[in-house]
Amino acid sequence: MKKKIKRPFSIEEWNKTNTKVETCNGKSVRILCTNIKSEYPIIAAITCNDGSEYTSAFDVEGHFCKGKSIDEDLVIVEEIEVPERFADDKIAKGE
């Protein structure tokens, strides 16, 4: 079974590895540009539930709004294989 692990967005990591990116609330993201001369140099296309896209600008740490954490912030997503017995997190939580 695969499980998504979300990590804080890092433009350096994304530039090196071109890893998968989503918003904190799970929307798919395509990074279009990372060098706009602005406080928000990242331009990304974000996919809506109906498949349409809209664009947003983000700072180098993937924040939509400086100084706030919101659902639209970017995160790096990695899918890892997890043994079935650990898939529901009950063992990790001590249940």
Side-chain angles (χ1 to χ4, degrees):
M1 167 178 226
K2 289 197 174 201
K3 188 163 192 164
K4 279 186 184 181
I5 304 296
K6 294 182 179 184
R7 297 190 320 258
F9 181 83
S10 159
I11 196 165
E12 292 84 14
E13 182 178 353
W14 184 83
N15 278 332
K16 288 178 189 173
T17 61
N18 203 13
T19 55
K20 184 176 178 183
V21 177
E22 290 182 354
T23 59
C24 288
N25 60 4
K27 292 179 182 172
S28 182
V29 172
R30 285 187 305 124
I31 304 286
L32 304 175
C33 178
T34 61
N35 62 352
I36 297 292
K37 292 182 174 141
S38 162
E39 283 186 87
Y40 298 89
I42 301 168
I43 305 299
I46 300 168
T47 304
C48 298
N49 292 337
D50 66 1
S52 64
E53 293 180 314
Y54 63 94
T55 57
S56 288
F58 300 88
D59 70 12
V60 295
E61 295 176 342
H63 296 291
F64 179 76
C65 187
K66 281 193 183 286
K68 292 183 181 179
S69 291
I70 62 170
D71 285 346
E72 292 295 310
D73 289 348
L74 303 179
V75 291
I76 290 185
V77 177
E78 187 177 356
E79 290 190 2
I80 61 169
E81 276 297 324
V82 177
E84 193 66 37
R85 62 187 173 149
F86 298 112
D88 62 4
D89 290 330
K90 287 184 180 177
I91 294 174
K93 293 177 184 175
E95 296 175 9

Coordinates of all heavy atoms in Angstrom, one line a residue:
M1 N 0.8 -1.2 0.0 CA 0.0 0.0 0.0 C 0.9 1.2 0.0 O 1.9 1.3 0.7 CB -0.9 0.0 1.2 CG -1.6 1.3 1.5 SD -2.7 1.2 2.9 CE -4.1 2.0 2.2
K2 N 0.5 2.2 -0.8 CA 1.3 3.5 -0.8 C 0.6 4.5 0.1 O -0.6 4.6 0.2 CB 1.3 4.0 -2.2 CG 2.2 3.2 -3.1 CD 2.6 4.0 -4.4 CE 3.6 3.1 -5.1 NZ 4.4 3.9 -6.0
K3 N 1.5 5.3 0.7 CA 1.0 6.3 1.6 C 1.7 7.6 1.2 O 2.9 7.7 1.0 CB 1.3 6.0 3.1 CG 0.7 6.9 4.1 CD 0.7 6.2 5.4 CE -0.2 7.0 6.3 NZ -0.6 6.3 7.5
K4 N 0.9 8.7 1.3 CA 1.5 10.1 0.9 C 2.1 10.6 2.2 O 1.5 10.7 3.3 CB 0.4 11.0 0.5 CG -0.1 10.9 -0.9 CD -1.0 12.0 -1.2 CE -1.6 11.9 -2.6 NZ -2.5 12.9 -3.0
I5 N 3.3 11.1 2.0 CA 4.0 11.9 3.0 C 4.2 13.3 2.5 O 4.7 13.5 1.4 CB 5.4 11.3 3.3 CG1 5.3 9.8 3.7 CG2 6.2 12.1 4.4 CD1 4.6 9.5 4.9
K6 N 3.7 14.2 3.3 CA 3.8 15.6 2.9 C 4.9 16.3 3.7 O 5.0 16.2 4.9 CB 2.5 16.4 3.1 CG 1.4 15.8 2.2 CD 0.1 16.6 2.4 CE -1.0 16.1 1.5 NZ -2.2 16.8 1.6
R7 N 5.7 17.1 3.0 CA 6.8 17.8 3.7 C 6.7 19.3 3.3 O 6.2 19.6 2.2 CB 8.2 17.3 3.2 CG 8.4 15.9 3.6 CD 9.9 15.5 3.4 NE 10.4 16.0 2.1 CZ 10.6 15.3 1.0 NH1 10.2 14.1 1.0 NH2 11.1 15.9 -0.1
P8 N 7.2 20.2 4.1 CA 7.2 21.6 3.7 C 7.9 21.8 2.4 O 8.9 21.1 2.0 CB 8.0 22.3 4.8 CG 7.9 21.4 6.0 CD 7.9 20.0 5.4
F9 N 7.3 22.7 1.6 CA 7.9 23.0 0.3 C 9.2 23.7 0.4 O 9.4 24.6 1.3 CB 6.9 23.9 -0.5 CG 7.4 24.3 -1.9 CD1 7.2 23.4 -2.9 CD2 8.1 25.5 -2.1 CE1 7.6 23.7 -4.2 CE2 8.5 25.8 -3.4 CZ 8.3 24.9 -4.4
S10 N 10.1 23.4 -0.5 CA 11.4 24.0 -0.6 C 11.7 24.2 -2.1 O 11.8 23.2 -2.8 CB 12.5 23.1 0.1 OG 13.8 23.4 -0.4
I11 N 11.9 25.4 -2.5 CA 12.2 25.6 -3.9 C 13.5 25.0 -4.3 O 13.6 24.5 -5.4 CB 12.2 27.2 -4.2 CG1 12.1 27.3 -5.7 CG2 13.4 27.9 -3.7 CD1 11.7 28.7 -6.2
E12 N 14.5 24.9 -3.4 CA 15.8 24.3 -3.7 C 15.6 22.8 -4.0 O 16.1 22.3 -5.0 CB 16.8 24.5 -2.6 CG 17.3 25.9 -2.4 CD 16.3 26.8 -1.5 OE1 15.4 26.2 -0.9 OE2 16.4 28.0 -1.5
E13 N 14.8 22.2 -3.1 CA 14.6 20.7 -3.4 C 13.8 20.5 -4.6 O 14.1 19.6 -5.4 CB 13.8 20.1 -2.2 CG 13.6 18.6 -2.3 CD 12.8 18.0 -1.2 OE1 12.6 18.7 -0.1 OE2 12.5 16.8 -1.3
W14 N 12.8 21.3 -4.9 CA 12.0 21.1 -6.1 C 12.9 21.4 -7.3 O 12.8 20.6 -8.3 CB 10.8 22.1 -6.1 CG 9.9 21.8 -7.3 CD1 9.0 20.9 -7.5 CD2 10.0 22.5 -8.6 NE1 8.4 20.9 -8.7 CE2 9.1 21.9 -9.4 CE3 10.8 23.6 -9.1 CZ2 8.9 22.3 -10.7 CZ3 10.6 24.0 -10.4 CH2 9.6 23.4 -11.2
N15 N 13.7 22.4 -7.3 CA 14.6 22.6 -8.5 C 15.6 21.5 -8.7 O 15.9 21.2 -9.9 CB 15.4 23.9 -8.2 CG 14.6 25.2 -8.6 OD1 13.8 25.2 -9.4 ND2 15.0 26.3 -7.9
K16 N 16.0 20.8 -7.7 CA 17.0 19.7 -7.8 C 16.3 18.4 -8.3 O 16.8 17.7 -9.1 CB 17.7 19.4 -6.5 CG 18.7 20.5 -6.1 CD 19.3 20.1 -4.8 CE 20.2 21.3 -4.3 NZ 20.7 21.0 -2.9
T17 N 15.1 18.2 -7.8 CA 14.5 16.8 -8.0 C 13.2 16.9 -8.8 O 12.7 15.8 -9.2 CB 14.2 16.1 -6.6 OG1 13.3 16.9 -5.9 CG2 15.5 15.9 -5.9
N18 N 12.6 18.1 -8.9 CA 11.3 18.2 -9.6 C 10.3 17.2 -9.0 O 9.6 16.5 -9.7 CB 11.5 17.9 -11.1 CG 10.4 18.6 -11.9 OD1 9.6 19.4 -11.4 ND2 10.3 18.2 -13.2
T19 N 10.2 17.2 -7.7 CA 9.3 16.3 -7.0 C 7.9 16.8 -7.2 O 7.6 17.9 -7.6 CB 9.6 16.3 -5.5 OG1 9.6 17.7 -5.0 CG2 11.0 15.7 -5.2
K20 N 6.9 15.9 -6.8 CA 5.5 16.2 -6.9 C 5.1 17.2 -5.8 O 5.6 17.2 -4.7 CB 4.7 14.9 -6.6 CG 3.2 15.1 -6.8 CD 2.5 13.8 -6.7 CE 1.0 14.1 -6.8 NZ 0.2 12.9 -6.6
V21 N 4.3 18.2 -6.2 CA 3.8 19.2 -5.3 C 2.3 19.3 -5.3 O 1.7 19.0 -6.3 CB 4.4 20.6 -5.8 CG1 3.9 21.7 -5.0 CG2 5.9 20.6 -5.9
E22 N 1.8 19.5 -4.1 CA 0.3 19.7 -4.0 C 0.1 20.9 -3.0 O 1.1 21.4 -2.4 CB -0.3 18.5 -3.3 CG -0.4 17.2 -4.1 CD -1.0 16.1 -3.3 OE1 -1.4 16.2 -2.1 OE2 -1.2 15.0 -3.9
T23 N -1.1 21.3 -2.9 CA -1.5 22.3 -1.9 C -1.7 21.5 -0.6 O -1.8 20.3 -0.6 CB -2.8 23.1 -2.2 OG1 -3.8 22.1 -2.3 CG2 -2.6 23.9 -3.5
C24 N -1.7 22.2 0.5 CA -1.9 21.5 1.8 C -3.2 20.7 1.8 O -3.3 19.7 2.5 CB -1.8 22.5 3.0 SG -0.2 23.1 3.3
N25 N -4.2 21.2 1.1 CA -5.5 20.5 1.1 C -5.6 19.5 0.0 O -6.7 19.0 -0.3 CB -6.6 21.5 1.1 CG -6.6 22.4 -0.2 OD1 -5.8 22.3 -1.0 ND2 -7.5 23.4 -0.2
G26 N -4.5 19.1 -0.7 CA -4.5 18.0 -1.6 C -4.7 18.3 -3.0 O -4.8 17.4 -3.8
K27 N -4.8 19.6 -3.4 CA -5.0 19.9 -4.9 C -3.7 19.7 -5.6 O -2.6 20.0 -5.1 CB -5.5 21.3 -5.0 CG -6.9 21.5 -4.5 CD -7.3 22.9 -4.7 CE -8.7 23.2 -4.1 NZ -9.1 24.6 -4.1
S28 N -3.8 19.1 -6.8 CA -2.6 18.9 -7.7 C -2.0 20.3 -8.1 O -2.8 21.2 -8.4 CB -3.0 18.1 -8.9 OG -1.9 17.8 -9.7
V29 N -0.7 20.4 -8.2 CA 0.0 21.6 -8.6 C 1.0 21.4 -9.7 O 1.7 20.4 -9.7 CB 0.7 22.2 -7.3 CG1 1.5 23.4 -7.7 CG2 -0.3 22.6 -6.3
R30 N 1.0 22.3 -10.7 CA 2.1 22.3 -11.7 C 2.8 23.6 -11.5 O 2.2 24.7 -11.6 CB 1.5 22.3 -13.1 CG 1.0 20.9 -13.5 CD 0.6 20.9 -15.0 NE -0.4 22.0 -15.4 CZ -0.2 22.9 -16.3 NH1 0.9 22.9 -17.0 NH2 -1.2 23.8 -16.6
I31 N 4.1 23.5 -11.2 CA 4.9 24.7 -11.1 C 5.2 25.2 -12.5 O 5.8 24.5 -13.3 CB 6.3 24.5 -10.3 CG1 6.0 23.9 -9.0 CG2 7.1 25.7 -10.3 CD1 5.5 24.8 -7.9
L32 N 4.9 26.5 -12.8 CA 5.0 27.0 -14.1 C 6.3 27.9 -14.2 O 7.0 27.9 -15.3 CB 3.8 27.9 -14.5 CG 2.5 27.1 -14.5 CD1 1.3 28.1 -14.7 CD2 2.4 26.0 -15.4
C33 N 6.6 28.6 -13.2 CA 7.7 29.5 -13.2 C 8.2 29.7 -11.8 O 7.4 29.7 -10.8 CB 7.3 30.8 -13.8 SG 8.5 32.1 -13.8
T34 N 9.5 29.9 -11.6 CA 10.1 30.1 -10.2 C 11.0 31.4 -10.2 O 11.7 31.6 -9.2 CB 10.9 28.9 -9.8 OG1 12.0 28.7 -10.7 CG2 10.1 27.7 -9.7
N35 N 10.9 32.2 -11.2 CA 11.8 33.3 -11.2 C 11.2 34.7 -11.5 O 11.8 35.6 -12.0 CB 13.0 33.1 -12.2 CG 12.5 32.9 -13.6 OD1 11.3 32.9 -13.9 ND2 13.5 32.9 -14.5
I36 N 9.9 34.9 -11.1 CA 9.3 36.2 -11.3 C 10.0 37.1 -10.3 O 10.2 36.8 -9.2 CB 7.8 36.1 -10.9 CG1 7.1 35.2 -11.9 CG2 7.1 37.4 -10.9 CD1 7.0 35.7 -13.3
K37 N 10.3 38.3 -10.7 CA 10.9 39.3 -9.9 C 9.9 39.9 -8.9 O 9.4 41.0 -9.2 CB 11.6 40.3 -10.7 CG 12.8 39.7 -11.5 CD 13.5 40.7 -12.3 CE 14.7 40.0 -12.9 NZ 15.2 40.2 -14.1
S38 N 9.7 39.2 -7.8 CA 8.6 39.6 -6.9 C 8.9 38.9 -5.5 O 9.7 38.0 -5.5 CB 7.3 39.2 -7.4 OG 6.3 39.2 -6.5
E39 N 8.2 39.3 -4.5 CA 8.2 38.6 -3.2 C 7.6 37.2 -3.4 O 7.8 36.3 -2.6 CB 7.4 39.3 -2.2 CG 8.1 40.5 -1.6 CD 7.3 41.1 -0.4 OE1 7.4 40.6 0.7 OE2 6.4 41.9 -0.7
Y40 N 6.8 37.0 -4.5 CA 6.1 35.8 -4.8 C 6.6 35.3 -6.1 O 5.9 35.4 -7.1 CB 4.6 36.0 -4.7 CG 4.1 36.4 -3.4 CD1 4.0 37.7 -3.0 CD2 3.8 35.4 -2.4 CE1 3.6 38.1 -1.7 CE2 3.3 35.8 -1.2 CZ 3.3 37.1 -0.8 OH 2.8 37.5 0.4
P41 N 7.8 34.7 -6.2 CA 8.4 34.4 -7.5 C 7.9 33.1 -8.1 O 8.2 32.8 -9.3 CB 9.9 34.2 -7.2 CG 9.9 33.7 -5.8 CD 8.8 34.5 -5.1
I42 N 7.1 32.3 -7.4 CA 6.6 31.0 -7.9 C 5.2 31.2 -8.5 O 4.3 31.7 -7.8 CB 6.6 29.9 -6.8 CG1 8.0 29.7 -6.3 CG2 6.0 28.6 -7.4 CD1 8.1 28.9 -5.0
I43 N 5.0 30.8 -9.7 CA 3.7 30.8 -10.3 C 3.3 29.3 -10.6 O 4.1 28.6 -11.2 CB 3.7 31.6 -11.7 CG1 4.2 33.0 -11.5 CG2 2.3 31.6 -12.3 CD1 3.4 33.9 -10.5
A44 N 2.2 29.0 -10.1 CA 1.7 27.6 -10.2 C 0.3 27.5 -10.7 O -0.5 28.3 -10.4 CB 1.9 26.9 -8.9
A45 N 0.0 26.4 -11.4 CA -1.3 26.1 -11.9 C -1.9 25.1 -10.9 O -1.2 24.0 -10.6 CB -1.4 25.5 -13.3
I46 N -3.0 25.3 -10.3 CA -3.6 24.5 -9.3 C -4.9 23.9 -9.9 O -5.7 24.6 -10.5 CB -4.0 25.3 -8.0 CG1 -2.6 25.8 -7.5 CG2 -4.7 24.4 -7.0 CD1 -2.8 26.9 -6.4
T47 N -5.1 22.6 -9.8 CA -6.2 21.9 -10.4 C -7.4 21.8 -9.4 O -7.3 21.4 -8.2 CB -5.8 20.4 -10.7 OG1 -4.6 20.5 -11.6 CG2 -6.9 19.7 -11.5
C48 N -8.5 22.2 -9.9 CA -9.8 22.2 -9.1 C -10.4 20.8 -9.2 O -10.0 20.0 -10.1 CB -10.8 23.2 -9.7 SG -10.2 24.9 -9.6
N49 N -11.4 20.5 -8.4 CA -12.1 19.2 -8.5 C -12.7 18.9 -9.8 O -12.8 17.7 -10.2 CB -13.2 19.2 -7.4 CG -12.6 19.2 -6.0 OD1 -11.4 18.8 -5.8 ND2 -13.4 19.6 -5.0
D50 N -13.1 19.9 -10.6 CA -13.7 19.6 -11.9 C -12.7 19.5 -13.0 O -13.0 19.3 -14.2 CB -14.7 20.7 -12.2 CG -14.1 22.1 -12.4 OD1 -12.9 22.2 -12.3 OD2 -14.9 23.0 -12.7
G51 N -11.4 19.6 -12.7 CA -10.3 19.4 -13.7 C -9.8 20.7 -14.2 O -8.8 20.8 -14.9
S52 N -10.5 21.8 -14.0 CA -10.1 23.1 -14.5 C -8.9 23.6 -13.6 O -8.6 23.0 -12.5 CB -11.2 24.2 -14.4 OG -11.6 24.4 -13.1
E53 N -8.2 24.6 -14.1 CA -7.0 25.1 -13.3 C -7.1 26.6 -13.1 O -7.8 27.3 -13.9 CB -5.7 24.8 -14.1 CG -5.4 23.3 -14.2 CD -4.1 23.1 -14.9 OE1 -3.9 23.7 -16.0 OE2 -3.3 22.3 -14.5
Y54 N -6.5 27.1 -12.1 CA -6.3 28.5 -11.9 C -4.8 28.7 -11.5 O -4.2 27.8 -11.0 CB -7.3 29.1 -10.8 CG -7.1 28.5 -9.5 CD1 -6.3 29.1 -8.5 CD2 -7.8 27.3 -9.1 CE1 -6.2 28.6 -7.2 CE2 -7.6 26.8 -7.8 CZ -6.8 27.5 -6.9 OH -6.7 26.9 -5.6
T55 N -4.3 29.9 -11.6 CA -2.9 30.2 -11.3 C -2.9 31.0 -10.0 O -3.8 31.8 -9.7 CB -2.2 30.9 -12.4 OG1 -2.9 32.1 -12.7 CG2 -2.0 30.1 -13.6
S56 N -1.8 30.8 -9.2 CA -1.5 31.5 -8.0 C 0.0 31.8 -7.9 O 0.8 31.0 -8.5 CB -2.0 30.7 -6.8 OG -3.4 30.7 -6.7
A57 N 0.3 32.8 -7.1 CA 1.7 33.1 -6.9 C 2.1 32.7 -5.4 O 1.2 32.8 -4.5 CB 2.0 34.6 -7.1
F58 N 3.3 32.3 -5.2 CA 3.8 31.8 -3.9 C 5.2 32.3 -3.6 O 5.9 32.6 -4.6 CB 3.8 30.3 -3.9 CG 2.5 29.6 -4.1 CD1 2.1 29.3 -5.4 CD2 1.6 29.3 -3.1 CE1 0.8 28.7 -5.7 CE2 0.4 28.7 -3.3 CZ 0.0 28.5 -4.6
D59 N 5.5 32.5 -2.4 CA 6.9 32.9 -2.0 C 7.8 31.7 -2.1 O 7.4 30.6 -2.5 CB 6.9 33.6 -0.6 CG 6.7 32.6 0.5 OD1 6.7 31.4 0.4 OD2 6.5 33.2 1.7
V60 N 9.1 31.9 -1.9 CA 10.1 30.8 -2.1 C 9.9 29.6 -1.1 O 10.4 28.5 -1.4 CB 11.5 31.3 -2.0 CG1 11.8 32.3 -3.1 CG2 11.8 31.9 -0.7
E61 N 9.1 29.8 -0.1 CA 8.8 28.7 0.9 C 7.5 28.1 0.6 O 7.0 27.2 1.3 CB 8.9 29.2 2.3 CG 10.3 29.7 2.7 CD 10.3 30.3 4.1 OE1 9.3 30.6 4.6 OE2 11.4 30.3 4.6
G62 N 6.8 28.5 -0.5 CA 5.6 27.9 -0.9 C 4.4 28.5 -0.3 O 3.3 27.9 -0.3
H63 N 4.5 29.6 0.4 CA 3.4 30.2 1.1 C 2.6 31.1 0.1 O 3.2 31.9 -0.6 CB 3.8 31.1 2.3 CG 4.5 30.3 3.4 ND1 3.8 29.4 4.1 CD2 5.8 30.2 3.8 CE1 4.6 28.8 5.0 NE2 5.8 29.3 4.8
F64 N 1.3 31.0 0.2 CA 0.4 31.8 -0.6 C 0.3 33.2 0.0 O 0.2 34.2 -0.7 CB -1.0 31.2 -0.6 CG -2.0 32.0 -1.4 CD1 -2.0 32.0 -2.8 CD2 -3.0 32.8 -0.8 CE1 -2.9 32.7 -3.5 CE2 -3.9 33.5 -1.5 CZ -3.9 33.5 -2.9
C65 N 0.4 33.3 1.3 CA 0.4 34.6 2.0 C 1.5 34.6 3.1 O 1.5 33.8 4.0 CB -1.0 34.7 2.6 SG -1.3 36.3 3.4
K66 N 2.4 35.5 3.0 CA 3.5 35.6 3.9 C 3.0 35.7 5.4 O 2.1 36.5 5.6 CB 4.4 36.8 3.6 CG 5.4 36.5 2.5 CD 6.4 37.6 2.5 CE 7.4 37.4 1.3 NZ 8.3 36.3 1.5
G67 N 3.6 35.0 6.3 CA 3.3 35.1 7.7 C 2.1 34.3 8.1 O 1.7 34.3 9.3
K68 N 1.4 33.6 7.2 CA 0.2 32.8 7.5 C 0.4 31.4 6.9 O 1.0 31.3 5.8 CB -1.0 33.4 6.9 CG -1.5 34.7 7.6 CD -2.8 35.1 6.9 CE -3.3 36.4 7.5 NZ -4.5 36.9 6.9
S69 N -0.1 30.4 7.5 CA -0.2 29.1 6.9 C -1.7 28.8 6.6 O -2.6 28.9 7.4 CB 0.2 28.0 7.9 OG 1.6 28.1 8.1
I70 N -1.9 28.5 5.3 CA -3.3 28.3 4.8 C -3.3 27.0 4.0 O -2.3 26.5 3.6 CB -3.9 29.5 4.1 CG1 -3.0 29.8 2.8 CG2 -3.9 30.7 4.9 CD1 -3.7 30.8 1.9
D71 N -4.5 26.5 3.7 CA -4.7 25.3 2.9 C -4.1 25.4 1.5 O -3.9 24.4 0.9 CB -6.2 24.9 2.8 CG -6.7 24.4 4.1 OD1 -5.9 24.0 5.0 OD2 -7.9 24.3 4.2
E72 N -3.9 26.6 1.0 CA -3.4 26.8 -0.4 C -1.9 26.8 -0.5 O -1.3 26.8 -1.6 CB -4.0 28.0 -1.0 CG -5.4 28.0 -1.3 CD -5.9 27.0 -2.3 OE1 -5.3 27.0 -3.4 OE2 -6.8 26.2 -2.1
D73 N -1.2 26.7 0.7 CA 0.3 26.6 0.7 C 0.7 25.4 0.0 O 0.0 24.4 -0.1 CB 0.8 26.7 2.1 CG 0.7 28.0 2.8 OD1 0.3 29.0 2.1 OD2 0.9 28.1 4.0
L74 N 2.0 25.4 -0.6 CA 2.5 24.3 -1.3 C 3.2 23.3 -0.3 O 3.8 23.7 0.7 CB 3.5 24.7 -2.3 CG 3.0 25.7 -3.4 CD1 4.1 26.1 -4.3 CD2 1.8 25.1 -4.1
V75 N 3.2 22.0 -0.6 CA 3.9 21.0 0.1 C 4.5 20.0 -0.9 O 4.0 19.9 -2.0 CB 3.0 20.2 1.1 CG1 2.6 21.1 2.3 CG2 1.8 19.6 0.4
I76 N 5.6 19.4 -0.6 CA 6.2 18.4 -1.4 C 5.6 17.1 -1.0 O 5.4 16.8 0.2 CB 7.7 18.4 -1.2 CG1 8.3 19.7 -1.9 CG2 8.4 17.1 -1.8 CD1 9.8 19.8 -2.0
V77 N 5.2 16.3 -2.0 CA 4.5 15.0 -1.7 C 5.4 13.9 -2.2 O 5.9 13.9 -3.3 CB 3.2 15.0 -2.4 CG1 2.5 13.6 -2.2 CG2 2.3 16.1 -1.9
E78 N 5.6 12.9 -1.3 CA 6.3 11.7 -1.6 C 5.4 10.5 -1.3 O 4.8 10.5 -0.3 CB 7.6 11.6 -0.8 CG 8.5 10.6 -1.1 CD 9.8 10.6 -0.3 OE1 10.0 11.6 0.5 OE2 10.6 9.7 -0.4
E79 N 5.3 9.6 -2.2 CA 4.5 8.4 -2.0 C 5.5 7.2 -1.6 O 6.5 7.0 -2.4 CB 3.7 8.0 -3.2 CG 2.5 9.0 -3.4 CD 1.5 8.5 -4.4 OE1 1.7 7.4 -5.0 OE2 0.6 9.3 -4.7
I80 N 5.3 6.6 -0.5 CA 6.1 5.5 0.0 C 5.3 4.3 0.2 O 4.1 4.3 0.5 CB 6.9 5.9 1.3 CG1 5.9 6.2 2.4 CG2 7.8 7.1 1.0 CD1 6.6 6.3 3.8
E81 N 6.0 3.1 0.0 CA 5.3 1.8 0.3 C 5.3 1.6 1.8 O 6.3 1.8 2.5 CB 6.1 0.7 -0.4 CG 5.8 0.5 -1.8 CD 4.4 0.1 -2.1 OE1 3.8 -0.7 -1.3 OE2 3.9 0.5 -3.2
V82 N 4.1 1.3 2.2 CA 3.9 1.0 3.7 C 3.3 -0.4 3.8 O 2.4 -0.8 3.1 CB 2.9 2.0 4.3 CG1 2.7 1.7 5.7 CG2 3.5 3.4 4.1
P83 N 3.9 -1.3 4.6 CA 3.4 -2.6 4.8 C 1.9 -2.5 5.2 O 1.5 -1.6 6.0 CB 4.2 -3.2 5.9 CG 5.5 -2.5 5.8 CD 5.1 -1.1 5.4
E84 N 1.1 -3.4 4.8 CA -0.4 -3.4 5.0 C -0.7 -3.3 6.5 O -1.6 -2.5 6.9 CB -1.0 -4.6 4.5 CG -2.5 -4.5 4.4 CD -3.1 -3.5 3.4 OE1 -2.5 -3.2 2.4 OE2 -4.1 -2.8 3.8
R85 N 0.1 -3.9 7.4 CA -0.2 -3.9 8.8 C 0.0 -2.6 9.5 O -0.5 -2.3 10.5 CB 0.7 -5.0 9.5 CG 2.1 -4.7 9.4 CD 2.9 -5.8 10.0 NE 4.3 -5.6 9.7 CZ 5.3 -5.9 10.4 NH1 5.1 -6.6 11.5 NH2 6.5 -5.6 10.0
F86 N 0.7 -1.6 8.8 CA 0.9 -0.3 9.3 C 0.1 0.7 8.6 O 0.1 1.9 8.9 CB 2.4 0.1 9.1 CG 3.4 -0.7 9.9 CD1 4.2 -1.5 9.2 CD2 3.4 -0.7 11.3 CE1 5.1 -2.3 10.0 CE2 4.3 -1.4 12.0 CZ 5.1 -2.3 11.3
A87 N -0.7 0.3 7.6 CA -1.5 1.2 6.8 C -2.5 2.1 7.5 O -2.7 3.3 7.2 CB -2.2 0.5 5.7
D88 N -3.1 1.6 8.6 CA -4.1 2.4 9.3 C -3.6 3.2 10.4 O -4.3 3.8 11.2 CB -5.3 1.5 9.7 CG -4.8 0.4 10.7 OD1 -3.7 0.4 11.1 OD2 -5.7 -0.4 11.1
D89 N -2.3 3.2 10.7 CA -1.6 4.0 11.7 C -1.9 3.5 13.2 O -1.5 4.1 14.1 CB -1.9 5.5 11.6 CG -1.2 6.1 10.4 OD1 -0.2 5.6 10.0 OD2 -1.8 7.1 9.9
K90 N -2.7 2.4 13.3 CA -3.1 2.0 14.7 C -1.9 1.5 15.5 O -1.8 1.8 16.6 CB -4.1 0.9 14.6 CG -5.5 1.4 14.2 CD -6.5 0.3 14.2 CE -7.9 0.8 13.7 NZ -8.9 -0.2 13.7
I91 N -1.0 0.8 14.8 CA 0.2 0.4 15.6 C 1.1 1.6 16.0 O 1.5 1.7 17.1 CB 1.0 -0.6 14.7 CG1 0.2 -1.9 14.5 CG2 2.4 -0.9 15.4 CD1 0.8 -2.9 13.6
A92 N 1.3 2.5 15.1 CA 2.1 3.7 15.4 C 1.5 4.5 16.5 O 2.2 5.2 17.3 CB 2.2 4.6 14.1
K93 N 0.1 4.5 16.6 CA -0.5 5.3 17.6 C -0.7 4.5 18.9 O -1.2 5.0 19.9 CB -1.9 5.8 17.1 CG -1.8 6.8 16.0 CD -3.2 7.1 15.5 CE -3.2 8.0 14.3 NZ -4.5 8.3 13.8
G94 N -0.3 3.3 18.9 CA -0.4 2.5 20.1 C -1.8 1.9 20.4 O -2.2 1.6 21.5
E95 N -2.6 1.8 19.4 CA -4.0 1.4 19.6 C -4.1 -0.2 19.5 O -3.3 -0.8 18.8 CB -4.9 2.0 18.5 CG -5.0 3.5 18.7 CD -5.8 4.1 17.6 OE1 -6.5 3.5 16.8 OE2 -5.8 5.4 17.6

